Amino acid sequence: MALTDIFKDLDEEQRTEVEQLPRSERLGQIAALRQMSTRQLLQEVSEQTGLPLVGQIELIENPTWSLPLRLIHEYQCVPVQNGEPVKADGSSTEEEDSTAPIPLVTLWPPDEKMDRWIYATCGRMPKWHLGNPEQVVETITEHFGVGAGSLDESDLVTDVAETQDDEDEDAAVIRFVNEVVSKAVSDRATDIHFEPHRDELQIRYRIDGELVPIRVPDNLIRFQGAIISRLKIMAKLNISEKRRPQDGRISFGSGNSELDIRISTFPTMYGESVSLRLLNQKSKPLSMRELGLDPNEEKKLSHALSTPHGIILVTGPTGSGKSTSLTAYIRLINKPERRIITVEDPVEYEVPGVNQTQVHPEIGLTFAQSLRAVLRQDPDVIMVGEIRDRETADIAIRASLTGHLVLSTLHTNDAPGALTRLIDMDIEPFLIASSVEMIIAQRLVRRLCPECARPANYEANQIAGFLATMRIDPSEAQFGHLAKEAVGCERCRSLGFRGRVGIFEILRVTDEIHEHIVKRDSARLIRQTAISQDMRTLMQSGWGHIKEGTTTIEEVMRFADLENEES
């Protein structure tokens, strides 16, 4: 099967790089390098190899032959009804002709070795078809589980003659763990949870803020202890300590990605629960527009970032994207004439030209201690990952008053709440009023999948109810027809969403707000004044995304009750 033309426009180094990738990633990488769609490239591959394309994958149910799970995962192929040999009356010839070729769909042209292995294990030659890589991978995951091929016990038995049972099982567990992590990376998961229960070891990914269970091999419970031990070994934790929580980190390479994985173990009734936080060291920081800021919000923020001194705070609960936003702001103002130093926990994104460090509380290197040292490094801009205590807040404020621009985060529900939170830390109100320039409260909502989103077609009274709950001007009902709803397709794993976008509430410390702070007025009063000065609330920001078709009303409404309480 000639594939020469597929690699055209690629140099030798790029071709070698593609050939070293897993089969599931080759087509997408070539398409990216040649700046064409995967669908176009797939059609080109089909024409060159003579392999027919398959649109919708339909698996063969209860075949008379058995294809080992290891081959399904290693060769990324699935048995399908498409191309199934049939008799004249249209029924299957499977029962009559046990030598008929097995129809298989794969995502990259097969080689002779694959043909030989299929024939050796099934007694029949394969009849190959090409399928969309994403669809093939999702079919394998949905019907055969992540890493099922690694823990295929039938394969473990066949290898006994060459290796010891325990050695082979160790290798299978290593492959399984690697596959689970690699699959999480390809699915854009931020966390992986291994959760032991009475009769199963459940594995769940957190994708776009939502937990998604993944299908796993039926015999996974048998390997529970080995899998947990493998994770602890990778993190250099004590595998014999199972009664106390442990924390560690893992460096993991997956394709072109370099992951810094934070691991946490926690003892439960049926074994240790393990959580992995995936931090991609090569992740590209987002731009202001990619964060979800509209042009007016972007203009306000850019003006605040251009000031030579003061504090800009980003607030929100855990997982609301505060660190991602801070990194985007740092990237915006990063210039050769500015010395920028960050103190983070952990360093989630690398920004070229910026001096980044990570706190280590276990050796006394806290945010406060790091901030003191940073002030002796002649910085122009300082980013502090989080203000957790009075000491850190006090140093940050005094740094801003001595000519530094300080960016940091606080755990508060809204923008005005950050001001009262600082007062609760026993920081003098006049210092807060003089140093804080801007506060940005944010949340993350799931972004609609562009492939399957469709108009929601709400009734007029429904739109009116939504607007009332979100405290938005009733006149906005005229845009209700622009609202969309989630459907679900193969590209978004039938979730209807793919990725997330931010909604924001930006409070500028004006003269009126300054007076409220000095008088120790409540957050509610500060909020009312800010709204009267054209501060756009979280709900109004969310409504903007609804009108653009970026997200759904239901996604934004999740925060409506919170805002009503604050108002």
Side-chain angles (χ1 to χ4, degrees):
M1 298 179 184
L3 293 176
T4 306
D5 290 345
I6 297 178
F7 294 97
K8 66 183 180 182
D9 302 329
L10 271 63
D11 56 36
E12 192 63 32
E13 182 179 349
Q14 291 174 325
R15 178 168 181 165
T16 301
E17 179 185 343
V18 169
E19 291 174 341
Q20 291 176 347
L21 289 174
R23 293 173 54 82
S24 60
E25 299 177 15
R26 294 176 189 174
L27 207 69
Q29 181 67 8
I30 295 175
L33 292 172
R34 292 181 55 187
Q35 297 183 344
M36 61 191 302
S37 70
T38 303
R39 184 175 300 178
Q40 290 175 323
L41 183 59
L42 196 62
Q43 183 66 44
E44 186 177 312
V45 174
S46 175
E47 293 172 357
Q48 289 191 34
T49 60
L51 298 176
L53 287 176
V54 167
Q56 190 66 27
I57 294 179
E58 299 178 9
L59 296 184
I60 294 179
E61 297 182 4
N62 303 317
T64 58
W65 39 268
S66 176
L67 187 62
L69 288 173
R70 180 173 290 184
L71 294 187
I72 290 177
H73 281 266
E74 183 175 348
Y75 295 155
Q76 295 288 283
C77 62
V78 289
V80 293
Q81 296 179 15
N82 312 66
E84 184 73 18
V86 296
K87 296 187 297 186
D89 62 3
S91 61
S92 173
T93 61
E94 178 76 21
E95 295 182 2
E96 289 188 2
D97 188 359
S98 61
T99 63
I102 300 172
L104 297 173
V105 169
T106 188
L107 42 68
W108 180 259
D111 53 33
E112 293 183 4
K113 177 184 176 182
M114 294 169 63
D115 289 340
R116 291 196 300 268
W117 271 106
I118 298 295
Y119 182 77
T121 55
C122 302
R124 297 166 60 178
M125 290 298 291
K127 179 182 178 182
W128 293 106
H129 300 69
L130 283 177
N132 181 282
E134 288 189 6
Q135 188 177 3
V136 173
V137 170
E138 290 304 325
T139 301
I140 293 173
T141 301
E142 180 180 352
H143 293 276
F144 302 100
V146 175
S150 298
L151 303 182
D152 187 359
E153 294 179 90
S154 63
D155 287 338
L156 298 182
V157 175
T158 59
D159 292 338
V160 171
E162 299 179 9
T163 59
Q164 296 294 322
D165 286 345
D166 56 348
E167 293 177 356
D168 191 73
E169 182 171 316
D170 289 344
V173 168
I174 291 172
R175 284 197 304 270
F176 174 79
V177 171
N178 290 344
E179 288 173 17
V180 169
V181 176
S182 297
K183 177 62 177 172
V185 174
S186 65
D187 282 355
R188 302 171 296 104
T190 56
D191 301 84
I192 308 174
H193 300 288
F194 295 80
E195 303 166 315
H197 300 291
R198 182 190 297 272
D199 300 316
E200 66 172 347
L201 175 63
Q202 183 181 47
I203 301 178
R204 295 193 287 178
Y205 294 159
R206 188 173 292 280
I207 302 174
D208 297 334
E210 301 290 324
L211 282 176
V212 180
I214 65 169
R215 182 181 171 88
V216 295
D218 294 335
N219 63 343
L220 189 63
I221 190 68
R222 176 195 155 190
F223 299 92
Q224 175 177 317
I227 291 170
I228 302 303
S229 293
R230 170 59 185 168
L231 291 168
K232 294 170 73 173
I233 289 172
M234 293 172 70
K236 298 181 174 59
L237 301 181
N238 184 355
I239 63 172
S240 63
E241 179 56 77
K242 300 179 181 180
R243 299 173 299 172
R244 297 179 180 177
Q246 297 187 68
D247 297 308
R249 57 190 299 179
I250 301 170
S251 294
F252 185 88
S254 176
N256 294 325
S257 300
E258 295 179 8
L259 296 180
D260 179 17
I261 302 177
R262 302 306 165 97
I263 179 173
S264 171
T265 69
F266 188 80
T268 68
M269 288 178 62
Y270 301 106
E272 290 178 281
S273 175
V274 179
S275 293
L276 307 181
R277 167 63 59 89
L278 310 183
L279 303 173
N280 193 337
Q281 294 301 306
K282 290 189 176 182
S283 292
K284 178 183 175 182
L286 299 179
S287 67
M288 305 279 270
R289 192 56 53 85
E290 289 171 325
L291 289 176
L293 291 160
D294 72 8
N296 188 43
E297 292 171 331
E298 186 175 342
K299 182 179 178 180
K300 291 179 182 178
L301 183 55
S302 297
H303 180 268
L305 290 169
S306 65
T307 58
H309 54 77
I311 294 181
I312 297 175
L313 294 173
V314 180
T315 76
T318 301
S320 59
K322 298 188 298 296
S323 297
T324 301
S325 292
L326 280 181
T327 306
Y329 306 154
I330 288 293
R331 182 169 174 260
L332 180 69
I333 63 176
N334 183 22
K335 298 176 182 178
E337 60 271 20
R338 272 186 165 176
R339 177 168 168 78
I340 303 175
I341 302 179
T342 74
V343 182
E344 305 172 62
D345 183 24
V347 176
E348 295 190 24
Y349 302 93
E350 292 184 15
V351 184
V354 173
N355 303 280
Q356 297 173 270
T357 189
Q358 180 173 316
V359 298
H360 293 284
E362 65 275 10
I363 61 172
L365 189 62
T366 61
F367 278 118
Q369 290 288 352
S370 299
L371 194 49
R372 284 198 183 91
V374 165
L375 290 174
R376 295 191 289 271
Q377 290 287 311
D378 186 32
D380 297 302
V381 180
I382 304 170
M383 187 185 96
V384 186
E386 183 182 349
I387 294 178
R388 295 177 178 173
D389 50 48
R390 177 186 176 181
E391 185 180 14
T392 306
D394 187 61
I395 299 172
I397 286 176
R398 296 188 184 280
S400 71
L401 294 174
T402 54
H404 303 88
L405 179 62
V406 180
L407 284 72
S408 190
T409 70
L410 269 179
H411 283 286
T412 62
N413 288 330
D414 66 343
L419 298 170
T420 55
R421 176 80 178 98
L422 289 172
I423 293 175
D424 289 341
M425 289 182 178
D426 291 331
I427 304 297
E428 289 295 336
F430 75 90
L431 291 176
I432 298 172
S434 301
S435 59
V436 178
E437 292 290 330
M438 178 175 284
I439 304 169
I440 307 154
Q442 69 178 62
R443 299 289 188 278
L444 292 177
V445 295
R446 290 182 293 174
R447 189 190 294 267
L448 277 167
C449 173
E451 301 290 331
C452 60
R454 68 185 180 192
N457 297 322
Y458 291 113
E459 298 291 338
N461 61 333
Q462 290 179 293
I463 294 295
F466 293 141
L467 294 175
T469 303
M470 293 188 286
R471 296 177 179 263
I472 294 175
D473 191 330
S475 65
E476 288 290 312
Q478 62 181 310
F479 302 108
H481 67 282
L482 299 176
K484 292 184 177 181
E485 64 180 357
V487 179
C489 64
E490 294 167 0
R491 182 169 177 78
C492 61
R493 294 173 54 92
S494 298
L495 298 174
F497 299 92
R498 188 173 176 85
R500 289 188 288 178
V501 67
I503 58 176
F504 300 89
E505 179 178 273
I506 299 179
L507 184 152
R508 292 180 298 170
V509 179
T510 61
D511 291 340
E512 291 81 0
I513 301 296
H514 185 285
E515 292 299 320
H516 284 312
I517 298 172
V518 172
K519 293 178 181 178
R520 298 176 181 261
D521 287 334
S522 67
R524 178 170 296 186
L525 187 56
I526 294 174
R527 181 179 185 78
Q528 290 172 352
T529 300
I531 291 175
S532 70
Q533 296 177 344
D534 296 327
M535 180 184 80
R536 193 162 82 146
T537 67
L538 288 170
M539 293 298 98
Q540 290 170 333
S541 176
W543 179 249
H545 286 300
I546 292 169
K547 291 193 293 185
E548 293 173 0
T550 307
T551 190
T552 66
I553 289 179
E554 289 76 15
E555 276 293 294
V556 176
M557 288 284 288
R558 287 191 297 154
F559 307 109
D561 291 339
L562 174 65
E563 181 158 306
N564 288 337
E565 290 175 6
E566 292 161 355
S567 298

